[in-house]
Structure formats: C-alpha cells, structure tokens
Amino acid sequence: MTPPDRNPHVNADRNPHVHGDGGTTEDAILHLEHGDIHVRQDGPRDAPTLLLIHGSATSSRSWDALVPLLAASHHVLRIDLPGHGRSAEPVGGDYAIPEQARRISTALDRLGVEHAIVVGHSSGGYAATALAEQRPDLVTALVLISTGPSMDAFIAPGPTAMDPAQWPPTDEQIRQFASTGFRPGHPVPPELVEDLRGMTYRAVTAAMQASTAYLNQKALPDRLMALGKPLLVIFGDQDRRWRPSSAADYRVVPGAKVELLPGAGHTPILEEPPRTAALLLTFAETLAAQEPDAT
C-alpha cells in the first residue's frame, strides 16, 4: 500500500556509498514543499527501522559513532532537521516542534517507512514525541536520550551567549558554547563545530526557542503518558544541560524504563557509544520478543 503522503512525482537526489563489509550508506535530499530535507540510511533495508533524530545546533553526524553498532541488525535512518546539517531552512521560518514532526512524517512516507522505533537525542526527543503524537501508527516505541522532561530541570548556561552581529562565531566560541554538551574534559568534536558554524543565527535560536515553547506548553512525561508507547529514557549522570536526577520524572509513564549512565554527560551517543548502543539494542530486542507473531 502506498503511504498516504508519498508523492512519486517529487524527486530525491540519492548518493549511495557501498562499504567493504557489504553495508551501504545512502544519502538523499528529499525535495519537500517547505524545504529540502537530508536523510541518510544504513543497514539492511528490510530490517526493523531505527529513526535517529539529533538535537539543536548539530546534525545527523552526531550519530556517527553509534550507527555502526546498530546497522548490523537494523535499518538505521537519520534525518537532518530543518536548518541543520544539509537540510534547508524551512520556507516561512517555522521551526515549531509540531511542524518539524510533520516534515519528518512526510519524509518517512516518501521513503516508504511504515513503522519505526524513534530515538531522539536532547531536543530531538521533542520532535520524536511530537511525531508519535501525530502518527501513532508510525511510531512503535520511543527512546529519549538526554531529553529534558520540563524547563524546571534545565541547567542555565554560563555567559557563553553568541552575538548575532558577529556571526558566524569562531571555532573557540563554538567550543565554549558546546562544552556543556559533554562531560567535563571531553573535547567537542570538530564535526559538531563545523555543523554549528554552518548554521544561521536564526536557525540556531529559533530551533532552541521552539523546544522551550513545546516544553512550556506541556511537560514531556504528561505527553508520553497520553501516548501509551513503550519508552526508554537514557541520561548521563554527568549531564550539564539537564539535571540528571530529572530522568526519574519519566517514571510516571507506565512501563517506562529509565537508565542512568555513570560517567556520561549530555551526549552519551558520542561519549559512550557502546554502552548507549547496548541499551538501545536490548530495548529493541525486548520489543521484538513481545510482538504477537514472535516465536
């Protein structure tokens, strides 16, 4: 059955890369109504799908260390949110979280994806949640990694705000800005510096404001309770963006599994890829075992 929003007349620019181990990475630019969206696919296309959604001021490259650990058993799909990475800024400048989710939904329909475990890192967890709100048929389960449950849990940053009159910032300014995204002493990867430097000031600030607005409208645990989706929450106990203890706020969601990674900061997908991947794969395997047709 053709997905409802799929349009065979809208083109996508595709660029496959075949690796020596037989795996294939395929990049595509999907030409959508409100701006081009970049997607990247790894792993067997007939395997269960894991959709990975990055946080603000970064891109799908933030998952690079994790993907090889997932792609042997899963179809791993990454997406650059509007105005991030290789995706265009949205026509009309609408960065609202529900609108981001609608664009993700359209992209998945265009690719023919019918079901996915959706994984969001940091503010990517808000887009993941909004996608589940809009398309419960598409989202089989949610994984939130370092996603703040409410603004009460936010740790206010120090005096590292960037000046729009001096945009783009220097590499050192970006490293200072991004340093709290990692445990103390962990370097900011050059790819993340490059990603942020390539963004407009409007994209950076509007995406962050959209996340705040989504949380202020309704706390994430309250949204998730209404969804009834299987949920895994992963936090690092050294998170410097959101209070690590706030991970417990998600326990009000029936059946939620909450994991605290000792020694990890806000970005365990780069700081602790093997441990993060192990939690994801165990969660996915448990879900698969619970399916009615599982043997």
Side-chain angles (χ1 to χ4, degrees):
M1 183 177 71
T2 302
D5 293 327
R6 192 171 184 178
N7 183 349
H9 302 293
V10 178
N11 296 324
D13 299 328
R14 297 179 182 273
N15 183 19
H17 310 281
V18 180
H19 303 297
D21 60 2
T24 301
T25 295
E26 182 178 356
D27 287 289
I29 301 294
L30 304 180
H31 306 304
L32 306 184
E33 180 182 359
H34 295 289
D36 292 351
I37 291 291
H38 169 243
V39 297
R40 171 169 283 193
Q41 301 184 73
D42 289 273
R45 304 303 189 258
D46 58 351
T49 299
L50 289 174
L51 171 64
L52 310 181
I53 305 176
H54 64 82
S56 299
T58 179
S59 79
S60 57
R61 294 199 294 179
S62 64
W63 300 99
D64 281 354
L66 203 64
V67 168
L69 305 173
L70 305 175
S73 57
H74 285 79
H75 169 212
V76 182
L77 177 61
R78 288 178 275 174
I79 190 164
D80 282 337
L81 293 172
H84 295 68
R86 294 171 58 189
S87 290
E89 293 198 52
V91 175
D94 189 353
Y95 284 89
I97 296 298
E99 183 57 31
Q100 290 187 33
R102 277 188 284 274
R103 291 182 187 132
I104 295 170
S105 173
T106 300
L108 295 179
D109 287 339
R110 196 70 53 81
L111 294 169
V113 174
E114 296 181 351
H115 305 287
I117 296 174
V118 183
V119 186
H121 172 244
S122 191
S123 58
Y126 307 133
T129 302
L131 180 63
E133 289 175 323
Q134 295 173 14
R135 293 289 304 276
D137 61 307
L138 180 63
V139 179
T140 58
L142 287 163
V143 180
L144 305 179
I145 303 174
S146 307
T147 299
S150 67
M151 288 308 298
D152 291 341
F154 183 61
I155 300 173
T160 57
M162 295 190 225
D163 184 356
Q166 297 179 354
W167 196 268
T170 66
D171 287 3
E172 181 56 31
Q173 287 174 320
I174 293 174
R175 282 190 286 268
Q176 290 179 7
F177 174 79
S179 63
T180 56
F182 299 88
R183 64 187 172 218
H186 192 284
V188 177
E191 294 83 4
L192 269 64
V193 174
E194 181 181 330
D195 283 338
L196 199 151
R197 189 175 57 238
M199 295 178 65
T200 66
Y201 181 81
R202 163 70 179 165
V204 173
T205 56
M208 293 180 177
Q209 290 166 358
S211 295
T212 300
Y214 185 73
L215 270 190
N216 281 336
Q217 183 184 55
K218 192 174 187 180
L220 217 58
D222 293 336
R223 293 179 182 273
L224 294 164
M225 287 176 65
L227 289 175
K229 296 289 182 182
L231 172 67
L232 170 64
V233 174
I234 302 172
F235 259 71
D237 70 354
Q238 302 298 310
D239 196 314
R240 297 192 286 166
R241 294 276 176 87
W242 300 93
R243 264 190 306 105
S245 61
S246 70
D249 294 357
Y250 289 101
R251 294 192 186 278
V252 300
V253 181
K257 186 172 180 59
V258 179
E259 298 282 356
L260 208 60
L261 284 177
H266 182 67
T267 312
I269 60 175
L270 284 169
E271 298 172 60
E272 298 288 345
R275 289 162 59 188
T276 305
L279 292 172
L280 279 174
L281 292 173
T282 299
F283 180 65
E285 290 166 4
T286 300
L287 291 176
Q290 293 172 349
E291 292 179 358
D293 59 346
T295 56

